[in-house]
Amino acid sequence: MLVMKSLKLRGEVITPSFTFCATTNAIEWCGMKPVFADIEEGYLCADPNHVNELVTKKTSAILATHVFGNPCDIGALQDIADDRKIRLFFDAAHCFGSEYKGKKIGNFGDAESFSLSPTKLVVAVEGGFLTTNDDEIARLGIMGRDYGHDGSYDCEFAGLNARMEEFNAIIGNETLKRLEKNLQMRTDLVGIYRQGLSKVPGISFQKIRDRSRTTYKDFPLILDEKEFGLSRDQLYESLRMENIISKKYFDPPSHKQRAFRQDIRLPVTDSIAPRIISIPLFSHMPKDDVKKVIETIKNIHENAEDIRKAL
Ligand SMILES: *Cc1c(COP(=O)(O)O)cnc(C)c1O
């Protein structure tokens, strides 16, 4: 919201539908219209070709999400923003520690926004921050987090109370110290998951962009119901009965939610959303628990026919 206010954006913002609702909420709260782009098969981030098709005279910006920590096709999106003379900024909530072509996420577009809420890699209980190389966004962002004035009580624009609490900052600083270690542990656990699940029919993984690093904020499986033998919802229920809690991120996608509903077709988003499931992953997850989840999923697959009848 502060980036959009700082840039004085109006009109339409192109954004993926396949993201957390907070991305779309921010656009709505700034009084703009979200125009939903489809995602790239495999990578699950905004599809630059579709984004380019959606640009009109009303478009003021692209707001793309680095989904599950996997960087967007930043180069292609920046080319579009430059060509069409619109702004580009990112929802980098999942990305503390991600890299794109050897450079840390936080360096790209006009600005990037990060979250420090409990499911993220660096946690301040609540809170977040934005990064920018643009002096004007920095000036207005700092002012905007404190209602929009610079200490003079003479507001330059309508800001927010978006200050960071000291208590929260202390916790954030402590978890920041563990970021590299936690990232390494997560990456190792994902390695075990990939090895254990890659031969199970009907399961595929998010593709990670070349020369990039993801945080694995989440580790989703994409199901092919015919090959796996069960639908995503049936797998979700079967895991739940074994006390394994998974998440259906991001289903429903924004364009199908009651608040934002648009009668449009986004072929990749519409195909992926009902088939994706994020399985348990946290930095300190014991390797034995990862193996248990793998064995449970294999078992569910092997007994798919019986489960289908029982559910
Ligand atoms: C968590 C999350 C947010 C919201 O972050 P807050 O710190 O709760 O404001 C925004 N976008 C995405 C993609 C998220 O996952």
Side-chain angles (χ1 to χ4, degrees):
M1 288 163 71
L2 290 176
V3 172
M4 286 182 268
K5 285 281 181 194
S6 300
L7 292 170
K8 301 179 178 61
L9 300 184
R10 294 264 186 282
E12 299 181 350
V13 177
I14 299 171
T15 191
S17 171
F18 191 74
T19 182
F20 184 55
C21 58
T23 321
T24 318
N25 286 346
I27 298 170
E28 294 273 352
W29 271 84
C30 288
M32 280 181 291
K33 183 180 173 217
V35 173
F36 294 119
D38 209 352
I39 49 170
E40 308 159 285
E41 190 95 46
Y43 299 108
L44 309 180
C45 295
D47 174 359
N49 292 321
H50 191 220
V51 167
N52 196 36
E53 282 170 26
L54 292 171
V55 178
T56 68
K57 282 197 300 247
K58 290 186 191 155
T59 310
S60 59
I62 302 162
L63 167 53
T65 303
H66 305 300
V67 173
F68 307 132
N70 189 30
C72 295
D73 188 346
I74 296 173
L77 292 172
Q78 189 64 61
D79 285 347
I80 296 166
D82 292 344
D83 273 6
R84 314 297 289 264
K85 302 198 168 36
I86 54 177
R87 299 296 198 143
L88 171 66
F89 59 113
F90 295 98
D91 182 335
H94 300 170
C95 276
F96 208 140
S98 293
E99 291 175 12
Y100 174 79
K101 298 191 175 170
K103 224 167 143 184
K104 286 268 188 298
I105 294 298
N107 282 289
F108 298 99
D110 291 302
E112 304 200 63
S113 64
F114 290 79
S115 168
L116 302 169
S117 71
T119 62
K120 312 293 155 66
L121 268 91
V122 176
V123 174
V125 186
E126 284 293 350
F129 60 95
L130 64 90
T131 59
T132 182
N133 291 317
D134 180 315
D135 290 344
E136 187 64 356
I137 297 176
R139 184 181 77 83
L140 294 173
I142 288 167
M143 214 188 271
R145 75 180 169 197
D146 200 20
Y147 308 107
H149 72 90
D150 60 1
S152 64
Y153 296 91
D154 177 12
C155 277
E156 185 171 330
F157 68 106
L160 298 168
N161 175 353
R163 291 184 304 255
M164 184 90 192
E165 295 256 14
E166 281 79 357
F167 288 122
N168 297 68
I170 290 166
I171 295 165
N173 277 331
E174 286 305 309
T175 68
L176 178 59
K177 292 177 191 160
R178 302 174 197 186
L179 174 62
E180 273 310 313
K181 196 166 145 246
N182 285 352
L183 261 173
Q184 197 49 56
M185 292 199 292
R186 284 174 105 85
T187 307
D188 291 348
L189 296 176
V190 168
I192 299 173
Y193 264 141
R194 280 180 187 273
Q195 200 171 19
L197 294 171
S198 62
K199 292 204 181 68
V200 180
I203 288 181
S204 57
F205 309 116
Q206 181 184 28
K207 270 198 238 156
I208 305 308
R209 202 168 301 285
D210 262 8
R211 296 170 57 211
S212 294
R213 177 165 86 155
T214 180
T215 56
Y216 293 112
K217 204 294 262 173
D218 294 289
F219 182 63
L221 310 179
I222 300 160
L223 281 202
D224 178 322
E225 180 173 346
K226 275 212 189 84
E227 299 235 327
F228 184 74
L230 294 170
S231 69
R232 188 276 313 271
D233 288 343
Q234 288 168 327
L235 173 59
Y236 176 91
E237 275 307 312
S238 309
L239 286 170
R240 201 179 57 82
M241 285 193 267
E242 300 294 329
N243 282 323
I244 296 171
I245 305 303
S246 51
K247 292 283 182 179
K248 301 178 187 181
Y249 296 143
F250 299 108
D251 187 30
S254 284
H255 76 288
K256 297 200 166 170
Q257 292 181 27
R258 282 170 296 160
F260 319 118
R261 198 184 306 264
Q262 290 182 14
D263 190 19
I264 51 172
R265 260 181 47 74
L266 300 172
V268 182
T269 302
D270 293 341
S271 155
I272 294 288
R275 297 195 289 123
I276 195 163
I277 182 166
S278 287
I279 56 177
L281 178 66
F282 51 95
S283 307
H284 293 80
M285 188 168 172
K287 287 184 177 156
D288 282 347
D289 285 1
V290 172
K291 288 174 188 157
K292 204 176 125 199
V293 175
I294 294 170
E295 285 317 307
T296 308
I297 292 174
K298 281 183 169 167
N299 250 315
I300 291 170
H301 164 68
E302 278 154 23
N303 296 292
E305 210 177 305
D306 291 342
I307 293 171
R308 247 193 346 258
K309 282 179 201 147
L311 274 175

